[in-house]
Amino acid sequence: MKKLVNEILFGTNARVSGLIALAIVGLIALGCSCGKDFNFSNLVGNSNSTSNNRNSEIVSSDDDTSSDDVPSDSEVESLVKETTAEFADAVNSGDFSEIHANASSDFQSTYTVEEMTAAFKSYTDKKKIVVPILKKVAASEAEFPTPPTIRSEKGLSILVANGKFPTKPYNVRFDYEYVMRSGDWKLLKLVINIP
């Protein structure tokens, strides 16, 4: 295992380096060609979107609650750790139904479990490497380059949290958004990267 980690870190094995390069190119291609970066901020604010019916559902939801107070960094960190732990469990099992079920109704109405499974296939294919790194998040402290913020779009309070966990051998970078629903923050955007 130590030899494999050294080969990954220092690029001494051409096959490992090739697989990493292929994975990076694949992630870029998926992000560029299919638009599945799980970013819903553009859906709420873009009235010219082809998903106007979904937008009106998002805006007209009766269960939203306004909250302009940004939670403390420790509360946001706890929320981010919970999301990352759910993601780690999904990658480990290959079943994204639980994280999907715990996400906001906006997320659920836009992306299916099958779409999530396909979008994160590169993670599940490498779960022996990815999951241990994701599990280290629980013992790490989140670093927020910019403090978490609340933005408001069409009456919705959206919590924006991005940063990283300084895990070894690679950092876990996250860009999450949550929408306030019935007094709880629910996942709206899920972008996670392990360089």
Side-chain angles (χ1 to χ4, degrees), residues 94-107:
D95 180 6
F96 288 83
S97 58
E98 185 174 338
I99 193 169
H100 185 269
N102 291 333
S104 67
S105 57
D106 314 295
F107 188 100

Side-chain angles (χ1 to χ4, degrees), residues 5 13 16 53 67 70 76 80 83 124 128 142 150 162 169 185 188:
V5 171
N13 184 318
V16 173
N53 291 340
S67 173
V70 178
V76 175
V80 166
T83 300
T124 56
K128 288 183 180 181
I150 299 279
N162 57 58
W185 292 109
L188 184 64

